[in-house]
Amino acid sequence: MALFECFVIYIVIWWILFFIALPLGVKRSKNLLPGHDSGAPEKTYLWKKFIIVSIITLIFTYITILVLQGNI
């Protein structure tokens, strides 16, 4: 399988998992200031989610490539 195909598979899986991970662990702010949205999260933990999703995506990409090549 070509490197570009592997990269495309990685990107597609990464975006799917990232959108799944976005709402996890988000807590709404209890102290609302005037002008702030009531649904805005207090902390988003985007870097933590970015790193975890990237590692999990590597594993899923490897498994997907093995399945597509017929090794599993």
Side-chain angles (χ1 to χ4, degrees), residues 44-60:
T44 58
Y45 304 107
L46 282 180
W47 282 109
K48 184 177 178 182
K49 291 176 185 180
F50 179 84
I51 293 169
I52 291 172
V53 166
S54 296
I55 293 169
I56 293 173
T57 303
L58 279 174
I59 297 167
F60 277 121

Side-chain angles (χ1 to χ4, degrees), residues 8-19:
V8 169
I9 291 171
Y10 179 85
I11 294 298
V12 169
I13 294 174
W14 189 89
W15 275 109
I16 292 169
L17 292 179
F18 187 68
F19 280 121

Side-chain angles (χ1 to χ4, degrees), residues 2-70:
L3 184 62
F4 180 73
E5 292 171 344
C6 296
F7 181 71
V8 169
I9 291 171
Y10 179 85
I11 294 298
V12 169
I13 294 174
W14 189 89
W15 275 109
I16 292 169
L17 292 179
F18 187 68
F19 280 121
I20 290 172
L22 275 177
L24 300 177
V26 174
K27 295 178 185 169
R28 292 171 55 174
S29 179
K30 294 177 183 167
N31 300 328
L32 291 177
L33 299 174
H36 287 187
D37 186 14
S38 62
E42 193 169 309
K43 290 194 175 218
T44 58
Y45 304 107
L46 282 180
W47 282 109
K48 184 177 178 182
K49 291 176 185 180
F50 179 84
I51 293 169
I52 291 172
V53 166
S54 296
I55 293 169
I56 293 173
T57 303
L58 279 174
I59 297 167
F60 277 121
T61 302
Y62 180 71
I63 292 170
T64 303
I65 290 170
L66 287 177
V67 168
L68 289 175
Q69 289 178 346

